[in-house]
Amino acid sequence: MKSAVETLNPTRVRLTVEVPFEELKDSLDAAYKKINQQVTVKGFRKGKIPARVIDQRFGRGAVLEEAVNDALPKFYTEAINEAELNPLGQPEVDITELKDGETLNFTAEVDIRPTIEIPDYSGIEVTVDAVEVSDEDVEKSVEQLRERFASTSPVERAAEDGDVVTIDLQAKVDGEVLEDGVAEGVSYTIGSGELLDGIDEAVKGLEAGGEATFTSELKGGSAEGKEAEVTVKVTQVAARELPALDDDFAQLASEFDTLDELKADSRKRLENMKQYDQATQAQERVLDELLKLAEVPIPEKLLADEIQTRKHNLEHHQLGQMGIDLAKYLEIQGKTEEEFTAETEEQAVKGIKTQFILDELVNKEKLNVNQEELTEHLMRRAASSGMSPDQFAQAVVEGGQVPMLVGEVARGKALAVVVEAAKVTDTNGEVVDLEDAEDETGETVEAAADADAEEKTEA
């Protein structure tokens, strides 16, 4: 076999391959064997039909077609390996010549990973938010904890903001009560915004036994999006009572004996969270600077496929789970379809560039992924997917996605290398040392970089 490579552009090549006919022998033998198992000829046992009889009865062309279909992937792969190319996607193959007993010639056009020169990234400088936790932040955190331990008790007065009311609901559209528009004994906190628009105004001021009618757009059910006349009846009003902020509360809500110890722990947790956010911010900004330095050609077909994938995932997975369509989503976001498409393309370009350059860095820095790193990454991915580690691992193995996970970890390590080489300062002018930054779960900056690189290249 002989092959030659013609570069069509920085991300696409055309392979020209010439195959001597004798190299098709194995595929021809396999073709005759396959046809033998599929056809019946009177006077011959199944599987024992001579080649000349198959040629006479079914035509030599059918055998050649079967043989060529079998052989093409092998010769294409050999040509790719010989040229040391990294193909992206499936090739467009064109058989230019097929002479029985003489030769098979074909061309294959395919997108390839572009050759990327890794720029000198040692001079990258970025600024990130300073890690600052105010007394107000601590008080807010403790107050949120206090809210979790609130109790309720029925009161004989009109409902007010913050009260928990028990209500019965009935929704009508065009004067007809909806089958799925009746609910009884619903618990609702006034001001939470968790039910229908207008319900807060309707129930405030009502005592147990009171009722009101208001108009609202339904957020779900058989008449989603339609205006409905909603009747609400309050069956109970309960006031929320917060526990006193004292040492007893600290002992109730935590492992600490005093309120001061609880507040000190809250401050430390907030600092850890802000350190992790700071590390993530640093990675994102360092990556943006790296992408500015590198020239990365984008294959057109890969970009088109990526944009389509992102749109499909949004429409059929994320929005589907939310119960809205793309038009409603764009309305909520205040975007036109053209703005959405442009934004999606920008994100796709960034994702492809990120994957290309980080993969090149993995090769340049000779970064390897060990079993412990892969296991840690798998645990994080399992947690984010809502699956147990065993379930996620099984799904990964059955789907043949282990190489993908290895790639995500390797790209995370590559990004961490760039971040470590960069100069990171905070808004106070202080140099930030990210090496020991950890969030409250103990994940290191490298793990955060791993997650960041995964997010950029997920599709």
Side-chain angles (χ1 to χ4, degrees):
M1 183 196 82
K2 293 193 302 182
S3 64
V5 180
E6 176 188 358
T7 300
L8 302 178
N9 61 49
T11 62
R12 193 167 179 84
V13 297
R14 179 188 292 122
L15 292 165
T16 300
V17 184
E18 298 178 8
V19 183
F21 203 79
E22 56 267 22
E23 293 188 29
L24 286 172
K25 183 179 184 307
D26 289 344
S27 294
L28 280 169
D29 291 344
Y32 279 116
K33 185 174 182 180
K34 182 177 180 180
I35 294 173
N36 242 307
Q37 299 300 322
Q38 293 175 338
V39 301
T40 302
V41 176
K42 190 175 181 180
F44 297 95
R45 285 183 297 162
K46 196 173 187 66
K48 299 295 184 179
I49 308 170
R52 58 178 178 77
V53 175
I54 290 177
D55 289 345
Q56 291 169 357
R57 289 293 186 93
F58 305 102
R60 174 72 167 176
V63 179
L64 287 174
E65 182 180 354
E66 183 67 39
V68 169
N69 288 340
D70 175 75
L72 277 177
K74 179 184 70 173
F75 292 124
Y76 165 73
T77 301
E78 286 181 11
I80 285 289
N81 293 338
E82 187 178 285
E84 297 182 344
L85 299 174
N86 292 309
L88 300 169
Q90 295 300 313
E92 296 178 7
V93 177
D94 181 26
I95 298 174
T96 56
E97 186 176 20
L98 176 57
K99 288 185 178 180
D100 195 356
E102 295 183 27
T103 186
L104 164 65
N105 298 335
F106 69 91
T107 61
E109 288 190 18
V110 67
D111 287 333
I112 59 168
R113 278 180 177 268
T115 301
I116 300 172
E117 289 293 329
I118 299 297
D120 179 9
Y121 50 80
S122 61
I124 290 178
E125 297 184 12
V126 298
T127 302
V128 296
D129 295 337
V131 174
E132 297 175 340
V133 177
S134 65
D135 292 343
E136 183 181 344
D137 292 331
V138 175
E139 295 299 329
K140 183 178 178 182
S141 175
V142 173
E143 191 63 27
Q144 289 172 343
L145 182 62
R146 189 180 174 210
E147 290 277 351
R148 290 170 51 190
F149 285 85
S151 60
T152 60
S153 57
V155 291
E156 295 184 1
R157 60 165 172 77
E160 302 172 354
D161 268 328
D163 286 343
V164 179
V165 290
T166 304
I167 55 177
D168 297 336
L169 293 164
Q170 183 186 81
K172 293 181 180 179
V173 173
D174 298 330
E176 297 290 330
V177 177
L178 299 171
E179 288 186 13
D180 55 354
V182 177
E184 296 180 351
V186 177
S187 180
Y188 175 67
T189 301
I190 300 176
S192 66
E194 294 175 351
L195 281 178
L196 298 167
D197 293 337
I199 194 169
D200 289 338
E201 293 75 10
V203 297
K204 276 192 293 188
L206 295 181
E207 298 184 18
E211 114 178 9
T213 300
F214 64 100
T215 301
S216 182
E217 181 179 312
L218 298 178
K219 296 181 179 180
S222 60
E224 179 183 358
K226 293 185 178 180
E227 289 288 326
E229 182 184 86
V230 182
T231 299
V232 56
K233 180 179 180 180
V234 176
T235 59
Q236 179 180 277
V237 178
R240 297 178 77 249
E241 297 176 2
L242 297 175
L245 275 178
D246 52 23
D247 292 346
D248 288 339
F249 168 69
Q251 294 167 23
L252 170 69
S254 71
E255 70 272 27
F256 301 105
D257 293 327
T258 68
L259 183 60
D260 287 342
E261 289 175 326
L262 173 61
K263 288 183 176 181
D265 180 71
S266 295
R267 183 179 294 276
K268 181 61 178 175
R269 285 179 177 273
L270 289 171
E271 287 175 350
N272 287 340
M273 290 172 63
K274 291 201 173 188
Q275 281 180 337
Y276 186 75
D277 291 342
Q278 185 186 64
T280 302
Q281 190 179 71
Q283 290 143 20
E284 290 175 348
R285 294 182 179 180
V286 168
L287 177 60
D288 287 341
E289 293 302 312
L290 178 64
L291 293 180
K292 290 177 185 176
L293 294 175
E295 189 69 35
V296 185
I298 304 295
E300 291 183 9
K301 187 176 186 305
L302 180 65
L303 177 58
D305 290 345
E306 176 73 358
I307 292 171
Q308 182 59 38
T309 298
R310 286 171 180 261
K311 286 183 175 180
H312 178 85
N313 288 342
L314 176 66
E315 288 189 67
H316 298 278
H317 297 293
Q318 299 170 39
L319 298 185
Q321 292 176 356
M322 295 165 62
I324 61 176
D325 59 15
L326 182 59
K328 186 67 176 178
Y329 169 77
L330 294 178
E331 180 185 331
I332 294 170
Q333 295 290 316
K335 297 176 184 175
T336 65
E337 190 166 346
E338 290 74 18
E339 289 172 334
F340 166 72
T341 299
E343 185 179 278
T344 303
E345 180 174 348
E346 182 181 344
Q347 293 169 347
V349 167
K350 184 175 182 180
I352 294 170
K353 280 187 175 182
T354 298
Q355 181 165 341
F356 281 173
I357 197 168
L358 292 184
D359 284 347
E360 190 66 29
L361 264 169
V362 168
N363 294 330
K364 180 182 178 181
E365 301 292 342
K366 296 180 172 57
L367 301 175
N368 297 313
V369 176
N370 61 41
Q371 186 60 49
E372 182 181 355
E373 292 166 335
L374 183 60
T375 300
E376 289 176 358
H377 181 64
L378 187 147
M379 298 282 281
R380 286 193 293 273
R381 288 293 304 272
S384 65
S385 69
M387 300 170 67
S388 72
D390 287 345
Q391 289 174 324
F392 188 79
Q394 183 178 353
V396 166
V397 172
E398 290 178 352
Q401 299 298 305
V402 173
M404 181 193 72
L405 287 189
V406 172
E408 290 173 356
V409 178
R411 284 189 283 275
K413 295 180 73 171
L415 179 55
V417 168
V418 183
V419 173
E420 288 168 12
K423 181 180 179 181
V424 181
T425 55
D426 65 20
T427 49
N428 292 332
E430 299 291 329
V431 175
V432 178
D433 182 7
L434 296 170
E435 189 173 339
D436 297 324
E438 297 184 354
D439 72 350
E440 71 277 12
T441 63
E443 289 182 349
T444 63
V445 170
E446 186 171 289
D450 172 8
D452 189 58
E454 168 207 331
E455 180 183 350
K456 296 293 188 301
T457 63
E458 195 170 29

